[in-house]
Amino acid sequence: MFKPVLLTGSATVLLVTAFAPPAGAAAPAPAPPGQITVDVATVNGSGCRPGSAAVAVAPDNTAFTVTYSEYIAQAGGGAAAVDGRKNCLLSLVVHVPQGFTYAVSQVDYRGFGNLQPGAVGTQKASYYFQGMSQTAARTHKFQGALDDNWQATDTTGIEALVFAPCGEKRNFNINTELRAEVGTSDATKTSFMALDSTDGSFNSKYHFSWKQCPAR
């Protein structure tokens, strides 16, 4: 499988979906002390075979990252039709210190794209806790020509944060999708979008927002 290389292109593509908090919204609590772990419970999808997604927690407990090793969508140049759409559903078990709960307030996706002129790339994601409603999907589109790193950021305002229920164990589910479409480009040439990384240079970063649970 093709492994994209980190390039020093002239411009990094950046897209942001943001929801500003209202005035007077309560500030989240600081990150709790103690060990936080994130384990992969299940992994399913054409973009992430079991063993191809790794999770690591930041030392300051403010975020965790997911790194994929086989996540790439491609179209044109003889690529099969099924290669144009890749998806991944991760179910994560997040262990947090007693007395705290968390939400995910921001997600930064970083990858590499090579889109022929007229080709289209799409990154899409939604998130939800086990047994709770799934968030509306956030979608970011990229137009060719593109031969550079790309980044897409989803940010949720304080008033819209969904916290894990206190005292309950619920997996945090991440549903992502990558698409590459020929569009009006030369169909004999390959275009691709990748979250694929073997050295950790591309990853998805999930920022925690913390809250203390009421004393029982």
Side-chain angles (χ1 to χ4, degrees):
M1 177 176 289
F2 178 85
K3 301 297 181 184
V5 179
L6 182 65
L7 300 182
T8 55
S10 59
T12 297
V13 178
L14 173 63
L15 294 176
V16 178
T17 300
F19 300 90
Q35 185 178 19
I36 293 169
T37 61
V38 180
D39 300 318
V40 178
T42 60
V43 53
N44 293 288
S46 55
C48 57
R49 293 186 304 110
S52 67
V55 182
V57 179
D60 61 1
N61 292 339
T62 60
F64 67 90
T65 59
V66 179
T67 304
Y68 301 94
S69 60
E70 299 182 359
Y71 206 163
I72 179 171
Q74 52 189 338
V82 295
D83 292 334
R85 176 188 178 275
K86 298 293 182 177
N87 73 298
C88 182
L89 176 59
L90 283 179
S91 185
L92 305 178
V93 181
V94 182
H95 301 278
V96 304
Q98 187 173 4
F100 285 86
T101 186
Y102 72 95
V104 171
S105 57
Q106 179 175 310
V107 188
D108 302 318
Y109 293 98
R110 296 178 61 248
F112 185 83
N114 186 298
L115 300 175
Q116 300 297 325
V120 180
T122 304
Q123 183 272 329
K124 184 177 180 180
S126 59
Y127 327 92
Y128 61 101
F129 290 105
Q130 181 182 3
M132 300 174 68
S133 298
Q134 185 166 319
T135 63
R138 314 278 181 88
T139 301
H140 304 283
K141 286 190 175 293
F142 301 83
Q143 301 291 332
L146 172 67
D147 184 18
D148 206 344
N149 303 336
W150 61 264
Q151 178 171 325
T153 296
D154 297 334
T155 303
T156 302
I158 294 172
E159 84 290 349
L161 291 176
V162 177
F163 286 85
C166 285
E168 297 183 22
K169 293 292 185 182
R170 299 206 184 191
N171 290 4
F172 181 63
N173 298 319
I174 302 168
N175 193 4
T176 58
E177 179 182 312
L178 279 181
R179 286 181 182 266
E181 299 172 271
V182 171
T184 60
S185 70
D186 183 346
T188 66
K189 297 181 179 179
T190 301
S191 293
F192 69 83
M193 289 286 289
L195 276 169
D196 179 273
S197 179
T198 56
D199 59 3
S201 57
F202 301 122
N203 57 44
S204 304
K205 187 173 185 179
Y206 296 80
H207 300 261
F208 286 122
S209 185
W210 293 101
K211 184 170 70 173
Q212 286 188 287
C213 294
R216 292 190 174 184

